[in-house]
Amino acid sequence: MKIAVMGGDGFIGWPTSLHLSDAGHDIHILDNLSRRWIDTELGVQSLTPMDSIQERARIWHAETGRRIHFNLIDLAKDYELLKKWLAENRPDAVIHFAEQRAAPYSMKSDRHKNYTVNNNVSATHNLLNALTELNLDAHLIHLGTMGVYGYSTVGAAIPEGYLPVGIETAGGETVSQEILYPSNPGSIYHMTKCLDQLLFQFYAKNDGLRITDLHQGIVWGTHTEQTRRHAQLINRFDYDGDYGTVLNRFLIQAAIGYPLTVHGTGGQTRAFIHIQDSVRCIELALENPPARGARVEIFNQMTETHRVRDLAEMIARMTGSKIAWLPNPRKEAAENELIVRNEKFRDLGLAPITLEAALLDEIVDVAKKFAYRVDRSRVPAVSAWTKDIAATINHDPEGKRLKSVS
C-alpha cells in the first residue's frame, strides 16, 4: 500500500514508518518537525542523538534499498498544501500521529494550552475535511490515548470504545444502545483527543470515512527490530519532565544515579505497551480496516497495567536506586484502579512483550550509553496543572540547590 504517515518524524511515527516500509509498503512522511522545535524551546534534547529526517531516510535506503519520502507540511496550518498532496498521491491509508502528545507540555501555560488545542484539533479536522472533499477512500488510523477514558475508579473493565447502556423511554420501557465511553480528560492534551473522537464519529457517520482510533497506553522502550539495524536509525528517547514517559524516566534516572521521582502516593495505575508492540498493533489495524459506512473502529492499544509506585520499587530493586516521593503536579486521584479490555488485538494475533528484566536491562544499557547527554536540571516534572499546585512543586529532587546560611 501507499501509506501517508502524518507526524512520521516522531517517537512513534518514526519506528512505525520503518516497520511498515520493511513490510513492503510505500511510505510517505508528512511532518512539520515541530517536535524538534519544541526541543529547542525547552532547552532539552533526546537522550539518543538524532540525525535529520532526510539523513535518517538516506540511511534506511542505504541499508534496505527501500525509500521513505519526506514532505514538510504542517497539517494544522497548510490545509491547501495538504489537500494538494493528498489529491496528487491518493494514498491507500493515512496514519495520523501529527499531534502535540505530552500532557505536561499542554499544561505549562495558557500559550501551551492554546497551541495544543489549535494544533491537534485543526490537524485532525483538516485531514478529515480534505479526505472528504477529495472523495478519497483511504483508511485513516489515528493514534489516540487511554487517557480519553480518564483514570477514575468505577470497578468495571473499560470496554474498547463503546459502552452498552439501557435508556428508559417515555413509555417506561428500556431500550439498549451503544454510546462512546464517557470522556473524562485529565489534561488539555487528553481533551483534544476527546474532541478527535467526536470529529471521527461525525465524519464516519456523515461522509462514510473508514476510521480506526487506537486508544494507546504509555509507551516504553526505545528499540524496534528496524531501529537496531543502524546506529543512525535509533529512535528518540525523552527523559525530561514534560515528554519523558514514566517508565523510561525511571530507567534514565536509575542509569545516572538520580532518585526515582514518584509523585503523590504513586497509586496512579496506568496502561503500558512496548514500542515494538505499538508498531505491530498499528500494522494489525492497517490490515483490518472497517467497511465504508461502518462506525469508527476502536481498539485499546495496551498490554498490561501497573501502579507507578510498583514500577519505581521494581526499578529500585533492580538498580539500587533511591525513590523520591514528591508532590504531584497533576490534578488527579491519588489512587485508582484500571481494568482494560484489549481482546481485539489479541484476537488478531498480538503476542505482547511484557515488562521483563532483560528488556528493561536493554533500555538501561541505552540510558547508560548516552547518559553524558543528560541535563539533570530537566529531569524533574515541574509543569503544574493549576496555579495552586504550582506553589507546591519540588524543583530540586536531588537536594543540590544552594541553601542560605542562617
Side-chain angles (χ1 to χ4, degrees), residues 354-376:
T354 55
L355 290 171
E356 297 174 358
L359 290 167
L360 296 178
D361 287 345
E362 169 227 310
I363 304 168
V364 172
D365 289 343
V366 170
K368 288 181 176 177
K369 179 178 180 181
F370 297 109
Y372 69 93
R373 291 171 55 85
V374 173
D375 179 349
R376 299 176 83 95

Side-chain angles (χ1 to χ4, degrees), residues 22-24 30 42 68 97 101 135 141 149 157 220 226-227 262 265 277 285 291 306 332 346 351 388 403:
D22 204 26
L30 281 68
L42 297 178
I68 292 178
F97 301 115
R101 66 172 176 83
N135 195 27
I141 299 172
Y149 301 124
W220 64 281
Q226 290 75 32
T227 63
V262 177
T265 66
D277 282 341
H306 296 278
E332 62 183 354
R346 290 180 180 272
D388 290 340
K403 298 179 176 62

Side-chain angles (χ1 to χ4, degrees), residues 280-292:
R280 175 63 179 138
C281 284
I282 292 162
E283 183 179 32
L284 287 171
L286 190 67
E287 294 168 351
N288 295 273
R292 189 167 179 86

Side-chain angles (χ1 to χ4, degrees), residues 318-331:
M318 287 173 52
T319 62
S321 301
K322 295 180 179 179
I323 298 176
W325 302 88
L326 305 176
N328 192 350
R330 302 185 182 219
K331 188 174 184 178

Side-chain angles (χ1 to χ4, degrees), residues 8 56 58 67 106 114 165 204 209 223 282 291 312 344:
R56 285 169 137 185
R58 186 191 71 79
R67 293 195 181 277
S106 77
N114 283 342
V165 297
L209 294 190
H223 277 307
I282 292 162
K344 288 184 181 179

